[in-house]
Amino acid sequence: MAMYESDHTKFMREWMEKHPEQRDEQKEGRALWWDKPQSVEEQKRVAAARVPVKPYYYDINN
């Protein structure tokens, strides 16, 4: 049984085969926004600065 593949996925797969130079640009874009190195100290600082979320955001009594 074959797995479903959307038309968009097929298009992108074919397009990337025809334009392999875009793979490097894709990696650069991902590194720009997502792939950031973080130290343990940085992770601890972010966790300590996190503000707890209220159970119900619009309740003014809590």
Side-chain angles (χ1 to χ4, degrees):
M1 183 165 137
M3 297 287 292
Y4 171 76
E5 187 172 67
S6 71
D7 292 337
H8 181 265
T9 302
K10 290 176 187 176
F11 168 77
M12 290 305 297
R13 195 178 311 281
E14 292 171 6
W15 192 82
M16 290 300 269
E17 287 176 8
K18 293 177 184 175
H19 301 91
E21 70 279 358
Q22 291 299 311
R23 184 88 48 203
D24 293 333
E25 188 173 336
Q26 181 185 29
K27 288 180 182 179
E28 289 174 11
R30 179 182 169 100
L32 179 66
W33 291 104
W34 300 105
D35 296 337
K36 302 286 184 188
Q38 291 185 357
S39 65
V40 175
E41 292 81 22
E42 177 71 14
Q43 291 177 354
K44 287 179 183 177
R45 187 186 67 76
V46 169
R50 190 162 298 196
V51 177
V53 178
K54 295 181 181 179
Y56 183 65
Y57 184 78
Y58 296 105
D59 187 4
I60 61 171
N61 296 321
N62 286 340

